Amino acid sequence: MSESAISFMEPAVPTLSYAHLSDRSLIRVGGADAQHFLQNLVTADIDSMVEGGASACALLTPQGKILFDFLIYRQEGSYLLDVPSATAADFLKRLTFYRLRAKVDLEMLPEDFGVIALWDDTANAGEVPDSDLEGALAEVTDPRLPALGKRIAGPVADLAPKLHATAADLAAYDRHRISMGVPEGLKDFDYSDIFPHDADLDQLGGVSFSKGCYVGQEVVSRVHHRGTARKRFVQIESSAALGEKGTDITADGKSAGVLGSSAVTEDGAVGLALLRLDKVAQAKDNGSPLKCGDTEILVKLPDWASFSLPEPNTAD
């Protein structure tokens, strides 16, 4: 066999990109009662997290709506919370409010400690191998979806030069996240506005339905066990750029939902939208186009979604 034929049969090497997620901050939760404190407060099952483990997570209002969403990493007996910087101070304040007499230490890590995303840019993105970076506080496969890549927490200026990957910016990572169909708080929805099922948090490993009580648990359990989640974040595509976050999605001139974040691609644009699934099904059944503002869109359920469109005659 010729050398050229051998080369042709070699598997393609993944193209890795990394970006400092400059809009994320780190909060450390430690102390003797840290595990018990978090277990009784947030949506994920903290008791089941192993050392080096990670989970998507949320803190809810008593009415069951998302007050903060974040990722959580267990490292050396304490927990790192990977949170949006815009609300990090408020989140820390809320945790302090709930601490009461618990033996829990709460601290915001300095600004030079941050989060790096490392992901595969190939069309069939797979799980990114560990980098084993010395000095990293945490290095985990994104617990929401392995195809999102790695999350690396620690001193960014020290860690970034050690990565064998191409430097990218926050916009490039968001484009990757959107293409995978994964919504995030503030970028796709406002806090205290929607339920975990609306944000697909139940689909992305961020809600335990077997643990004990936590803030907002009764509402979330009722929605889950009754199967009454009517709105979901789904992917949308168009041949033209989409509007701003909050732009109405309509069918036959009637509202079917709102746009979250979006990104321009070579072929047009991709986005995430919070839609009433029954209205999407009704529009599809009627042959009516869905529009984001004046732009016609195609709706796609994420590959990882276990939900489906309901029977179209259930729309109001």
Side-chain angles (χ1 to χ4, degrees), residues 84-116:
S85 298
T87 54
D90 290 338
F91 188 20
L92 181 60
K93 188 175 182 179
R94 181 61 61 123
L95 291 174
T96 303
F97 171 79
Y98 278 115
R99 179 172 56 183
L100 301 176
R101 293 186 178 88
K103 296 177 181 178
V104 175
D105 301 319
L106 302 169
E107 64 169 329
M108 185 87 69
L109 296 194
E111 289 186 1
D112 53 332
F113 285 79
V115 180
I116 297 172

mmCIF file of all heavy atoms in Angstrom, residues 84-116:
data_model
loop_
_atom_site.group_PDB
_atom_site.id
_atom_site.type_symbol
_atom_site.label_atom_id
_atom_site.label_comp_id
_atom_site.label_asym_id
_atom_site.label_seq_id
_atom_site.Cartn_x
_atom_site.Cartn_y
_atom_site.Cartn_z
ATOM 1 N N PRO A 84 -22.005 33.083 36.496
ATOM 2 C CA PRO A 84 -21.891 34.310 35.709
ATOM 3 C C PRO A 84 -21.345 35.450 36.565
ATOM 4 O O PRO A 84 -21.834 35.697 37.679
ATOM 5 C CB PRO A 84 -23.335 34.596 35.280
ATOM 6 C CG PRO A 84 -24.050 33.293 35.402
ATOM 7 C CD PRO A 84 -23.403 32.592 36.555
ATOM 8 N N SER A 85 -20.340 36.150 36.059
ATOM 9 C CA SER A 85 -19.729 37.243 36.826
ATOM 10 C C SER A 85 -20.728 38.344 37.137
ATOM 11 O O SER A 85 -20.650 38.981 38.204
ATOM 12 C CB SER A 85 -18.554 37.836 36.040
ATOM 13 O OG SER A 85 -17.548 36.875 35.828
ATOM 14 N N ALA A 86 -21.681 38.577 36.237
ATOM 15 C CA ALA A 86 -22.626 39.684 36.412
ATOM 16 C C ALA A 86 -23.455 39.552 37.677
ATOM 17 O O ALA A 86 -23.901 40.565 38.238
ATOM 18 C CB ALA A 86 -23.544 39.775 35.191
ATOM 19 N N THR A 87 -23.671 38.312 38.130
ATOM 20 C CA THR A 87 -24.502 38.103 39.322
ATOM 21 C C THR A 87 -23.742 37.381 40.429
ATOM 22 O O THR A 87 -24.351 36.932 41.408
ATOM 23 C CB THR A 87 -25.763 37.299 38.966
ATOM 24 O OG1 THR A 87 -25.384 36.085 38.302
ATOM 25 C CG2 THR A 87 -26.691 38.101 38.073
ATOM 26 N N ALA A 88 -22.413 37.260 40.306
ATOM 27 C CA ALA A 88 -21.625 36.503 41.282
ATOM 28 C C ALA A 88 -21.728 37.101 42.679
ATOM 29 O O ALA A 88 -21.882 36.370 43.669
ATOM 30 C CB ALA A 88 -20.162 36.440 40.832
ATOM 31 N N ALA A 89 -21.637 38.416 42.787
ATOM 32 C CA ALA A 89 -21.708 39.056 44.104
ATOM 33 C C ALA A 89 -23.083 38.835 44.742
ATOM 34 O O ALA A 89 -23.178 38.566 45.949
ATOM 35 C CB ALA A 89 -21.409 40.547 43.980
ATOM 36 N N ASP A 90 -24.127 38.922 43.945
ATOM 37 C CA ASP A 90 -25.478 38.681 44.464
ATOM 38 C C ASP A 90 -25.646 37.226 44.888
ATOM 39 O O ASP A 90 -26.313 36.931 45.891
ATOM 40 C CB ASP A 90 -26.528 39.026 43.403
ATOM 41 C CG ASP A 90 -26.632 40.511 43.138
ATOM 42 O OD1 ASP A 90 -26.225 41.297 44.016
ATOM 43 O OD2 ASP A 90 -27.107 40.881 42.052
ATOM 44 N N PHE A 91 -25.064 36.315 44.122
ATOM 45 C CA PHE A 91 -25.143 34.894 44.452
ATOM 46 C C PHE A 91 -24.438 34.625 45.781
ATOM 47 O O PHE A 91 -24.964 33.913 46.653
ATOM 48 C CB PHE A 91 -24.521 34.085 43.320
ATOM 49 C CG PHE A 91 -24.712 32.594 43.443
ATOM 50 C CD1 PHE A 91 -25.706 32.042 44.236
ATOM 51 C CD2 PHE A 91 -23.893 31.741 42.722
ATOM 52 C CE1 PHE A 91 -25.883 30.663 44.326
ATOM 53 C CE2 PHE A 91 -24.063 30.366 42.806
ATOM 54 C CZ PHE A 91 -25.045 29.831 43.611
ATOM 55 N N LEU A 92 -23.240 35.176 45.931
ATOM 56 C CA LEU A 92 -22.496 34.994 47.179
ATOM 57 C C LEU A 92 -23.278 35.552 48.361
ATOM 58 O O LEU A 92 -23.334 34.945 49.440
ATOM 59 C CB LEU A 92 -21.127 35.670 47.073
ATOM 60 C CG LEU A 92 -20.208 35.547 48.285
ATOM 61 C CD1 LEU A 92 -19.911 34.085 48.596
ATOM 62 C CD2 LEU A 92 -18.909 36.310 48.042
ATOM 63 N N LYS A 93 -23.912 36.684 48.167
ATOM 64 C CA LYS A 93 -24.730 37.303 49.212
ATOM 65 C C LYS A 93 -25.902 36.399 49.577
ATOM 66 O O LYS A 93 -26.248 36.250 50.759
ATOM 67 C CB LYS A 93 -25.224 38.663 48.719
ATOM 68 C CG LYS A 93 -25.920 39.513 49.764
ATOM 69 C CD LYS A 93 -26.253 40.883 49.180
ATOM 70 C CE LYS A 93 -26.916 41.778 50.206
ATOM 71 N NZ LYS A 93 -27.213 43.121 49.627
ATOM 72 N N ARG A 94 -26.535 35.781 48.568
ATOM 73 C CA ARG A 94 -27.665 34.884 48.823
ATOM 74 C C ARG A 94 -27.211 33.631 49.575
ATOM 75 O O ARG A 94 -27.900 33.173 50.498
ATOM 76 C CB ARG A 94 -28.321 34.502 47.501
ATOM 77 C CG ARG A 94 -29.535 33.587 47.636
ATOM 78 C CD ARG A 94 -30.634 34.240 48.441
ATOM 79 N NE ARG A 94 -31.110 35.457 47.836
ATOM 80 C CZ ARG A 94 -32.366 35.693 47.492
ATOM 81 N NH1 ARG A 94 -33.285 34.775 47.733
ATOM 82 N NH2 ARG A 94 -32.715 36.843 46.970
ATOM 83 N N LEU A 95 -26.052 33.090 49.207
ATOM 84 C CA LEU A 95 -25.520 31.937 49.926
ATOM 85 C C LEU A 95 -25.237 32.286 51.384
ATOM 86 O O LEU A 95 -25.497 31.484 52.297
ATOM 87 C CB LEU A 95 -24.240 31.438 49.252
ATOM 88 C CG LEU A 95 -24.395 30.799 47.871
ATOM 89 C CD1 LEU A 95 -23.023 30.493 47.281
ATOM 90 C CD2 LEU A 95 -25.226 29.527 47.937
ATOM 91 N N THR A 96 -24.708 33.466 51.608
ATOM 92 C CA THR A 96 -24.441 33.922 52.970
ATOM 93 C C THR A 96 -25.736 34.031 53.774
ATOM 94 O O THR A 96 -25.787 33.680 54.957
ATOM 95 C CB THR A 96 -23.725 35.284 52.941
ATOM 96 O OG1 THR A 96 -22.513 35.159 52.170
ATOM 97 C CG2 THR A 96 -23.374 35.756 54.344
ATOM 98 N N PHE A 97 -26.791 34.480 53.128
ATOM 99 C CA PHE A 97 -28.108 34.594 53.762
ATOM 100 C C PHE A 97 -28.604 33.226 54.235
ATOM 101 O O PHE A 97 -29.176 33.098 55.325
ATOM 102 C CB PHE A 97 -29.088 35.202 52.763
ATOM 103 C CG PHE A 97 -30.525 35.179 53.197
ATOM 104 C CD1 PHE A 97 -31.010 36.116 54.099
ATOM 105 C CD2 PHE A 97 -31.394 34.226 52.697
ATOM 106 C CE1 PHE A 97 -32.341 36.079 54.509
ATOM 107 C CE2 PHE A 97 -32.721 34.189 53.091
ATOM 108 C CZ PHE A 97 -33.202 35.121 54.004
ATOM 109 N N TYR A 98 -28.371 32.182 53.430
ATOM 110 C CA TYR A 98 -28.844 30.846 53.770
ATOM 111 C C TYR A 98 -27.916 30.116 54.753
ATOM 112 O O TYR A 98 -28.297 29.091 55.321
ATOM 113 C CB TYR A 98 -28.974 29.988 52.502
ATOM 114 C CG TYR A 98 -30.259 30.217 51.736
ATOM 115 C CD1 TYR A 98 -30.244 30.761 50.450
ATOM 116 C CD2 TYR A 98 -31.496 29.874 52.279
ATOM 117 C CE1 TYR A 98 -31.421 30.955 49.736
ATOM 118 C CE2 TYR A 98 -32.676 30.067 51.576
ATOM 119 C CZ TYR A 98 -32.628 30.608 50.308
ATOM 120 O OH TYR A 98 -33.797 30.806 49.617
ATOM 121 N N ARG A 99 -26.711 30.612 54.950
ATOM 122 C CA ARG A 99 -25.724 29.889 55.756
ATOM 123 C C ARG A 99 -26.147 29.742 57.214
ATOM 124 O O ARG A 99 -25.943 28.704 57.830
ATOM 125 C CB ARG A 99 -24.375 30.596 55.683
ATOM 126 C CG ARG A 99 -23.289 29.929 56.503
ATOM 127 C CD ARG A 99 -21.942 30.553 56.248
ATOM 128 N NE ARG A 99 -21.946 31.992 56.504
ATOM 129 C CZ ARG A 99 -20.893 32.787 56.298
ATOM 130 N NH1 ARG A 99 -19.774 32.266 55.795
ATOM 131 N NH2 ARG A 99 -20.958 34.063 56.555
ATOM 132 N N LEU A 100 -26.721 30.770 57.796
ATOM 133 C CA LEU A 100 -27.140 30.785 59.202
ATOM 134 C C LEU A 100 -25.988 30.329 60.102
ATOM 135 O O LEU A 100 -24.935 30.929 60.080
ATOM 136 C CB LEU A 100 -28.389 29.921 59.380
ATOM 137 C CG LEU A 100 -29.620 30.358 58.540
ATOM 138 C CD1 LEU A 100 -30.778 29.382 58.718
ATOM 139 C CD2 LEU A 100 -30.041 31.765 58.907
ATOM 140 N N ARG A 101 -26.166 29.251 60.869
ATOM 141 C CA ARG A 101 -25.117 28.804 61.795
ATOM 142 C C ARG A 101 -24.290 27.642 61.245
ATOM 143 O O ARG A 101 -23.498 27.045 61.961
ATOM 144 C CB ARG A 101 -25.741 28.391 63.140
ATOM 145 C CG ARG A 101 -26.354 29.537 63.917
ATOM 146 C CD ARG A 101 -26.807 29.053 65.290
ATOM 147 N NE ARG A 101 -27.350 30.139 66.080
ATOM 148 C CZ ARG A 101 -28.610 30.532 66.067
ATOM 149 N NH1 ARG A 101 -29.478 29.926 65.261
ATOM 150 N NH2 ARG A 101 -29.029 31.525 66.833
ATOM 151 N N ALA A 102 -24.491 27.305 59.988
ATOM 152 C CA ALA A 102 -23.746 26.182 59.391
ATOM 153 C C ALA A 102 -22.254 26.503 59.331
ATOM 154 O O ALA A 102 -21.846 27.656 59.152
ATOM 155 C CB ALA A 102 -24.268 25.899 57.990
ATOM 156 N N LYS A 103 -21.435 25.458 59.508
ATOM 157 C CA LYS A 103 -19.980 25.617 59.444
ATOM 158 C C LYS A 103 -19.563 25.579 57.974
ATOM 159 O O LYS A 103 -19.111 24.550 57.446
ATOM 160 C CB LYS A 103 -19.298 24.519 60.238
ATOM 161 C CG LYS A 103 -19.609 24.587 61.734
ATOM 162 C CD LYS A 103 -18.963 23.428 62.479
ATOM 163 C CE LYS A 103 -19.306 23.502 63.965
ATOM 164 N NZ LYS A 103 -18.717 22.353 64.711
ATOM 165 N N VAL A 104 -19.752 26.709 57.328
ATOM 166 C CA VAL A 104 -19.497 26.827 55.895
ATOM 167 C C VAL A 104 -18.660 28.075 55.639
ATOM 168 O O VAL A 104 -18.953 29.145 56.183
ATOM 169 C CB VAL A 104 -20.818 26.920 55.106
ATOM 170 C CG1 VAL A 104 -20.550 27.175 53.629
ATOM 171 C CG2 VAL A 104 -21.637 25.644 55.273
ATOM 172 N N ASP A 105 -17.635 27.910 54.824
ATOM 173 C CA ASP A 105 -16.793 29.039 54.417
ATOM 174 C C ASP A 105 -17.144 29.404 52.981
ATOM 175 O O ASP A 105 -17.168 28.531 52.099
ATOM 176 C CB ASP A 105 -15.311 28.668 54.503
ATOM 177 C CG ASP A 105 -14.895 28.243 55.908
ATOM 178 O OD1 ASP A 105 -15.352 28.890 56.863
ATOM 179 O OD2 ASP A 105 -14.135 27.268 56.028
ATOM 180 N N LEU A 106 -17.393 30.677 52.741
ATOM 181 C CA LEU A 106 -17.761 31.162 51.418
ATOM 182 C C LEU A 106 -16.784 32.240 50.989
ATOM 183 O O LEU A 106 -16.514 33.178 51.754
ATOM 184 C CB LEU A 106 -19.181 31.736 51.437
ATOM 185 C CG LEU A 106 -20.306 30.791 51.883
ATOM 186 C CD1 LEU A 106 -21.593 31.569 52.116
ATOM 187 C CD2 LEU A 106 -20.531 29.711 50.839
ATOM 188 N N GLU A 107 -16.256 32.131 49.779
ATOM 189 C CA GLU A 107 -15.348 33.169 49.288
ATOM 190 C C GLU A 107 -15.395 33.277 47.770
ATOM 191 O O GLU A 107 -15.551 32.276 47.067
ATOM 192 C CB GLU A 107 -13.911 32.901 49.737
ATOM 193 C CG GLU A 107 -13.303 31.636 49.169
ATOM 194 C CD GLU A 107 -11.810 31.540 49.407
ATOM 195 O OE1 GLU A 107 -11.144 32.587 49.451
ATOM 196 O OE2 GLU A 107 -11.303 30.407 49.528
ATOM 197 N N MET A 108 -15.270 34.500 47.296
ATOM 198 C CA MET A 108 -15.105 34.748 45.868
ATOM 199 C C MET A 108 -13.614 34.681 45.563
ATOM 200 O O MET A 108 -12.811 35.362 46.219
ATOM 201 C CB MET A 108 -15.642 36.132 45.505
ATOM 202 C CG MET A 108 -15.615 36.427 44.030
ATOM 203 S SD MET A 108 -17.094 35.859 43.207
ATOM 204 C CE MET A 108 -18.300 37.004 43.904
ATOM 205 N N LEU A 109 -13.229 33.870 44.597
ATOM 206 C CA LEU A 109 -11.818 33.789 44.252
ATOM 207 C C LEU A 109 -11.380 35.043 43.504
ATOM 208 O O LEU A 109 -12.189 35.698 42.834
ATOM 209 C CB LEU A 109 -11.558 32.546 43.398
ATOM 210 C CG LEU A 109 -11.819 31.188 44.063
ATOM 211 C CD1 LEU A 109 -11.201 30.075 43.221
ATOM 212 C CD2 LEU A 109 -11.278 31.130 45.481
ATOM 213 N N PRO A 110 -10.104 35.399 43.607
ATOM 214 C CA PRO A 110 -9.600 36.610 42.932
ATOM 215 C C PRO A 110 -9.827 36.568 41.423
ATOM 216 O O PRO A 110 -9.994 35.496 40.837
ATOM 217 C CB PRO A 110 -8.103 36.600 43.270
ATOM 218 C CG PRO A 110 -7.981 35.761 44.493
ATOM 219 C CD PRO A 110 -9.063 34.720 44.402
ATOM 220 N N GLU A 111 -9.789 37.733 40.791
ATOM 221 C CA GLU A 111 -10.088 37.844 39.361
ATOM 222 C C GLU A 111 -9.114 37.076 38.480
ATOM 223 O O GLU A 111 -9.466 36.707 37.354
ATOM 224 C CB GLU A 111 -10.111 39.319 38.942
ATOM 225 C CG GLU A 111 -11.311 40.084 39.487
ATOM 226 C CD GLU A 111 -11.376 41.488 38.933
ATOM 227 O OE1 GLU A 111 -10.495 41.851 38.110
ATOM 228 O OE2 GLU A 111 -12.287 42.231 39.320
ATOM 229 N N ASP A 112 -7.868 36.834 38.962
ATOM 230 C CA ASP A 112 -6.932 36.098 38.119
ATOM 231 C C ASP A 112 -7.251 34.596 38.083
ATOM 232 O O ASP A 112 -6.672 33.859 37.294
ATOM 233 C CB ASP A 112 -5.487 36.332 38.566
ATOM 234 C CG ASP A 112 -5.257 36.047 40.046
ATOM 235 O OD1 ASP A 112 -6.205 36.190 40.829
ATOM 236 O OD2 ASP A 112 -4.126 35.679 40.407
ATOM 237 N N PHE A 113 -8.189 34.170 38.936
ATOM 238 C CA PHE A 113 -8.697 32.802 38.865
ATOM 239 C C PHE A 113 -9.999 32.832 38.075
ATOM 240 O O PHE A 113 -10.925 33.570 38.411
ATOM 241 C CB PHE A 113 -8.960 32.238 40.268
ATOM 242 C CG PHE A 113 -7.710 31.864 41.005
ATOM 243 C CD1 PHE A 113 -6.937 32.833 41.628
ATOM 244 C CD2 PHE A 113 -7.293 30.542 41.063
ATOM 245 C CE1 PHE A 113 -5.783 32.495 42.314
ATOM 246 C CE2 PHE A 113 -6.143 30.192 41.733
ATOM 247 C CZ PHE A 113 -5.373 31.165 42.358
ATOM 248 N N GLY A 114 -10.052 32.041 37.026
ATOM 249 C CA GLY A 114 -11.234 32.070 36.174
ATOM 250 C C GLY A 114 -11.484 30.716 35.542
ATOM 251 O O GLY A 114 -10.998 29.681 36.008
ATOM 252 N N VAL A 115 -12.243 30.729 34.442
ATOM 253 C CA VAL A 115 -12.661 29.492 33.778
ATOM 254 C C VAL A 115 -12.238 29.537 32.310
ATOM 255 O O VAL A 115 -12.432 30.543 31.627
ATOM 256 C CB VAL A 115 -14.189 29.302 33.872
ATOM 257 C CG1 VAL A 115 -14.607 28.013 33.178
ATOM 258 C CG2 VAL A 115 -14.641 29.305 35.330
ATOM 259 N N ILE A 116 -11.652 28.436 31.860
ATOM 260 C CA ILE A 116 -11.280 28.262 30.454
ATOM 261 C C ILE A 116 -12.121 27.128 29.880
ATOM 262 O O ILE A 116 -12.290 26.085 30.515
ATOM 263 C CB ILE A 116 -9.783 27.911 30.313
ATOM 264 C CG1 ILE A 116 -8.909 29.060 30.832
ATOM 265 C CG2 ILE A 116 -9.429 27.590 28.857
ATOM 266 C CD1 ILE A 116 -7.427 28.717 30.913
#
